[in-house]
Amino acid sequence: MQTDPKQTDDSPRYANAIAAALGIYTAGVAVQLATGSRAIPEPSWPANAILLAALVLGLTAAHVFAGRTALVRWLRSVPVAISAIVLVLAQAVLMGSMRQTPGAGLFHDIMHSWPFALTMVYFLVNLGLATLARLFPLRLENLGFILNHLGLWIALAAGLLGSGDLRRLSMNLVQGQPEWRAIDRSHGDHIHIVEMPFAFELKQFEMDVFPAKIGLLDTKTNRLSPPVEIPAPGTEFTLGDWRVTIEASLPESSYFSDAYHAMSAEIDTAPAARVSAKNQKTNASTTGWISCGNFANPPAILELGGGLALAMPDPEAKRFASRVEIFTDAGERYAATVEVNKPLSLRGWKIYQLSYDERRGRWSQTSVLELIRDPWLPGVYTGIFMMIAGALFIMARMRKAKA
């Protein structure tokens, strides 16, 4: 049997790459155990920028001054790339199969462990040197490779080194009270108060809800059958063995004098409906009010007997937002609305609508905003868009070659 010469030549390179990958992981474990550290601190500005500059300059110097040496050629080789990818994937499998808790140690906080850090350096060195080898001299046929590999390098470097600059804060607003302070819960059990260069005053919390629904409630298990939207008054429909008729439907109501009464859409109102139900098997019938109620109005169900009742679940939120007035330390003052899935941009921060007083629902007088600042995120997006462009370029070249 004849041996493939290329396979024979590559075998030591793969063996060396596998040995290097195992050595890097072992060295990471040894450092973790020797230092007794449970997690590597995430570098923040300017330390992360210095690390990035050092990595870029080091790779560039290696390519320019030692690009023809056996070591650099091996570091940018396919065997090293495969061993690095396998090492990254192996740790990703561990992360997915073992519970990860910040600061929990070697196998339970893998992303902040020394083995993972050294693995990513190994991967970035291989990826960077391979990209530089194709980048100079620049040729059109290498453009797809360069966009894919350089984009991946930029996205990984920005995501890993920029994590220390990610800030995620929350701010509790009370209607009519300006608030400058945000809460930082990223330090475990310790809560830090952060004074921001801007303030929010909640003017009005707004919530739009879907129409009220009705369903059969098992009063023994407190389980509600899939509810249906309450139709117009006079409509008949079937729920289980019961024929239900809507006699009155009140989107806004208040409870007094033993009944629900229609009200204008002012504070404290809740939806209610007067219904009648007739059992189609026994002809038993009953009539009464149902309502989900709220903090100011009692809920009501219509008992049907046999452990069943007609009930109205709490309305589902369609949209909720906070109308706020913004104050800055520069003396600016203006109105804005912070809505779910429509964040507000302010001085490099993204402001999201996070939550509200669920007990009061749409009548909430408090609102919780989430403030996120991630200055390295544009770098991650740049890398992703470069990879997309590289994939499109390669597909266009393949289509052109087939034509």
Side-chain angles (χ1 to χ4, degrees):
M1 180 182 293
Q2 189 173 4
T3 304
D4 185 352
K6 185 175 181 181
Q7 184 178 353
T8 303
D9 292 339
D10 279 350
S11 297
R13 299 170 67 198
Y14 277 100
N16 291 338
I18 294 171
L22 292 175
I24 286 170
Y25 186 82
T26 303
V29 172
V31 172
Q32 186 96 10
L33 295 176
T35 59
S37 59
R38 303 188 68 83
I40 300 176
E42 295 176 338
S44 57
W45 185 268
N48 48 11
I50 294 172
L51 287 173
L52 178 61
L55 183 58
V56 171
L57 290 174
L59 291 175
T60 304
H63 173 74
V64 172
F65 299 111
R68 296 180 181 274
T69 63
L71 176 61
V72 172
R73 291 170 59 193
W74 175 77
L75 282 173
R76 68 180 182 228
S77 67
V78 172
V80 170
I82 293 175
S83 68
I85 292 170
V86 169
L87 195 55
V88 171
L89 291 177
Q91 292 178 81
V93 170
L94 285 176
M95 280 189 276
S97 57
M98 304 179 72
R99 183 175 180 178
Q100 301 295 297
T101 304
L106 181 60
F107 296 112
H108 295 283
D109 189 13
I110 290 175
M111 286 195 68
H112 296 97
S113 68
W114 277 104
F116 185 78
L118 295 181
T119 297
M120 295 312 300
V121 171
Y122 182 53
F123 187 37
L124 288 174
V125 166
N126 168 263
L127 192 60
L129 291 174
T131 303
L132 287 170
R134 295 286 189 100
L135 190 58
F136 303 108
L138 182 61
R139 297 187 179 91
L140 182 62
E141 59 266 24
N142 289 334
L143 186 58
F145 179 96
I146 293 168
L147 286 171
N148 279 331
H149 288 69
L150 183 57
L152 178 58
W153 196 95
I154 291 173
L156 284 174
L160 292 168
L161 292 175
S163 59
D165 289 326
L166 173 64
R167 302 293 303 277
R168 188 183 297 271
L169 312 176
S170 62
M171 185 178 284
N172 300 325
L173 305 183
V174 178
Q175 190 168 326
Q177 299 179 17
E179 182 60 78
W180 295 84
R181 299 162 302 172
I183 300 172
D184 183 358
R185 292 187 170 89
S186 63
H187 304 279
D189 296 332
H190 302 286
I191 295 177
H192 290 184
I193 302 299
V194 181
E195 189 166 310
M196 305 300 293
F198 47 79
F200 294 96
E201 180 182 340
L202 179 64
K203 293 297 184 180
Q204 183 69 46
F205 179 77
E206 301 174 344
M207 177 185 285
D208 298 330
V209 297
F210 288 99
K213 296 183 177 182
I214 183 175
L216 274 177
L217 176 68
D218 187 329
T219 56
K220 297 177 181 177
T221 62
N222 206 32
R223 292 182 179 177
L224 187 70
S225 66
V228 297
E229 185 176 319
I230 295 178
T235 305
E236 294 186 2
F237 57 98
T238 300
L239 286 176
D241 295 332
W242 294 84
R243 190 67 180 168
V244 180
T245 302
I246 303 299
E247 297 185 356
S249 179
L250 308 178
E252 309 287 346
S253 71
S254 289
Y255 183 83
F256 56 90
S257 301
D258 297 327
Y260 291 88
H261 302 269
M263 303 289 289
S264 60
E266 297 178 355
I267 194 166
D268 298 353
T269 57
R274 184 170 177 81
V275 299
S276 61
K278 183 176 182 179
N279 191 295
Q280 299 179 95
K281 293 181 178 179
T282 64
N283 287 328
S285 62
T286 185
T287 300
W289 287 97
I290 62 169
S291 175
C292 59
N294 60 14
F295 66 97
N297 295 284
I301 62 174
L302 181 60
E303 296 280 357
L304 301 176
L308 293 177
L310 291 176
M312 179 187 295
D314 291 329
E316 298 174 357
K318 183 191 302 183
R319 166 191 172 272
F320 57 92
S322 297
R323 286 198 297 109
V324 297
E325 188 166 4
I326 300 173
F327 307 85
T328 70
D329 56 3
E332 300 171 299
R333 181 173 179 172
Y334 54 93
T337 299
V338 184
E339 186 175 340
V340 173
N341 298 325
K342 293 182 180 179
L344 175 70
S345 296
L346 180 62
R347 292 194 174 186
W349 292 83
K350 288 287 188 180
I351 317 298
Y352 294 85
Q353 176 69 58
L354 183 62
S355 64
Y356 55 94
D357 183 350
E358 296 184 6
R359 187 182 72 87
R360 297 180 69 93
R362 57 195 174 127
W363 309 119
S364 175
Q365 295 179 336
T366 61
S367 177
V368 181
L369 304 182
E370 185 175 46
L371 291 66
I372 298 178
R373 186 176 184 272
D374 189 358
W376 293 72
L377 189 59
V380 176
Y381 284 149
T382 298
I384 292 173
F385 289 135
M386 288 176 67
M387 287 188 283
I388 294 172
L392 293 175
F393 178 83
I394 292 173
M395 287 190 290
R397 294 273 293 183
M398 291 175 62
R399 183 174 296 179
K400 185 177 180 180
K402 291 179 180 179

